């Protein structure tokens, strides 16, 4: 649709930015591969409490990992396009990368519900939800590309995943009485917004590599401490506690 409405040059810029932004979705593949057999076993045994716990755990852990990747891209977006060859030519794709990364965070926060739906007795609704996803994407592109160019296509993806995630979550809750959301999701959302504000308050250095390095270190340090103290992910806290105990025992 971008090629047809805006031309091949815009498509080229969009694709380069998209490939950088889409890395926020990569963590979902390995975690889904681990969680899917556990979900299938819980569904087979009609163990709804176990399935609910798994859904919430997968959702918050994926949101945590993908949010870290999103923030890494967001705080370094200007530096990335300063460093890459012909960065000025591709600078129009800056917000494409940000929106695609954000869409990835939204997608993998909700999308394990689709896997659960596929494994359940309501599997026949899997295809209609995929068709809904495609339809929302097409309509979003049609409405936003004429006004926002390639940024419109990326923003359409964000909106599509928001609508899709909310409808999917509502349907799975209606049918199975489970949903992925907890108070930890809200804590993490507030933490992400706080990190973005902190990023904009930090002074800009003239050397892109140094600017990106010091921003990443400061925000990563702030984020790791906050995630641990707020107990956003019990699994992450367990790993951190084991690591700290090992270090103490060695000392």
């Amino acid at each position: 649709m971008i090629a047809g409405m805006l031309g091949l040059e815009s498509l080229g810029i969009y694709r380069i930015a998209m490939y950088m932004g889409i890395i926020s979705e990569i963590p979902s593949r390995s975690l889904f591969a681990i969680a899917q057999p556990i979900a299938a076993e819980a569904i087979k045994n009609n163990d709804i409490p176990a399935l609910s716990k798994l859904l919430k755990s997968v959702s918050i852990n994926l949101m945590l990992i993908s949010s870290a990747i999103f923030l890494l891209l967001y705080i370094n977006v200007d530096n990335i396009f300063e460093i890459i060859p012909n960065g000025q030519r591709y600078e129009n794709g800056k917000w494409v990368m940000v929106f695609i990364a954000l869409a990835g965070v939204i997608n993998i926060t909700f999308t394990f519900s689709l896997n659960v739906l596929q494994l359940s007795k309501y599997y026949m609704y899997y295809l209609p939800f995929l068709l809904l996803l495609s339809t929302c994407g097409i309509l979003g592109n049609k409405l936003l590309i004429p006004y926002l160019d390639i940024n419109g296509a990326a923003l359409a993806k964000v909106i599509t995943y928001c609508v899709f995630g909310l409808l999917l979550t509502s349907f799975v809750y209606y049918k199975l009485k489970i949903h992925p959301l907890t108070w930890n999701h809200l804590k993490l959302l507030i933490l992400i917004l706080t990190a973005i504000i902190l990023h904009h308050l930090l002074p800009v250095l003239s050397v892109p590599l140094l600017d990106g390095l010091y921003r990443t270190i400061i925000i990563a340090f702030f984020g790791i401490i906050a995630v641990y103290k707020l107990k956003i992910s019990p699994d992450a806290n367990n790993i951190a506690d084991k690591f700290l105990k090992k270090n103490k025992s060695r000392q």
Side-chain angles (χ1 to χ4, degrees), residues 22-36:
I22 207 169
I23 62 171
S24 65
E25 293 190 59
I26 291 174
S28 64
R29 298 173 187 175
S30 56
L31 195 52
F32 281 1
I34 296 168
Q36 199 156 346

Side-chain angles (χ1 to χ4, degrees), residues 43-178:
I43 291 170
K44 179 183 174 183
N45 298 328
N46 198 30
D47 191 348
I48 300 302
L51 185 62
S52 177
K53 184 179 178 181
L54 176 67
L55 182 60
K56 287 176 169 60
S57 177
V58 170
S59 178
I60 192 61
N61 286 321
L62 281 177
M63 184 180 177
L64 178 60
I65 298 168
S66 61
S67 295
I69 297 171
F70 165 74
L71 283 172
L72 181 66
L73 292 172
Y74 182 85
I75 65 179
N76 288 294
V77 63
D78 292 315
N79 296 322
I80 289 170
F81 283 89
E82 284 281 339
I83 293 168
I84 63 172
N86 300 316
Q88 291 181 340
R89 181 179 180 185
Y90 299 113
E91 197 172 6
N92 288 340
K94 181 167 65 175
W95 284 104
V96 170
M97 187 181 78
V98 171
F99 285 142
I100 294 294
L102 178 60
V105 175
I106 296 166
N107 182 34
I108 67 175
T109 298
F110 293 104
T111 198
F112 191 64
S113 297
L114 191 62
N115 293 64
V116 170
L117 186 67
Q118 186 183 17
L119 293 167
S120 73
K121 62 182 180 180
Y122 304 107
Y123 65 90
M124 71 285 295
Y125 293 101
Y126 180 81
L127 181 58
F129 269 103
L130 290 183
L131 292 174
L132 171 66
L133 183 65
S134 301
T135 303
C136 287
I138 292 168
L139 289 175
N141 285 339
K142 282 282 188 184
L143 291 171
L144 294 177
I145 289 176
Y147 297 100
L148 300 173
D149 295 332
I150 56 175
N151 292 329
L155 182 58
K157 193 166 187 176
V158 173
I159 296 170
T160 295
Y161 279 138
C162 284
V163 173
F164 176 75
L166 290 172
L167 290 176
L168 175 63
T169 298
S170 300
F171 182 81
V172 171
Y173 181 74
Y174 174 71
K175 290 294 185 181
L176 299 175
K177 297 298 181 279
I178 59 173

Side-chain angles (χ1 to χ4, degrees), residues 195-216:
I196 290 172
I197 293 169
L198 176 60
H199 155 67
H200 287 290
L201 292 175
L202 292 173
V204 178
L205 302 183
S206 58
V207 181
L209 280 173
L210 291 177
D211 184 73
L213 184 62
Y214 104 93
R215 285 175 187 279
T216 301

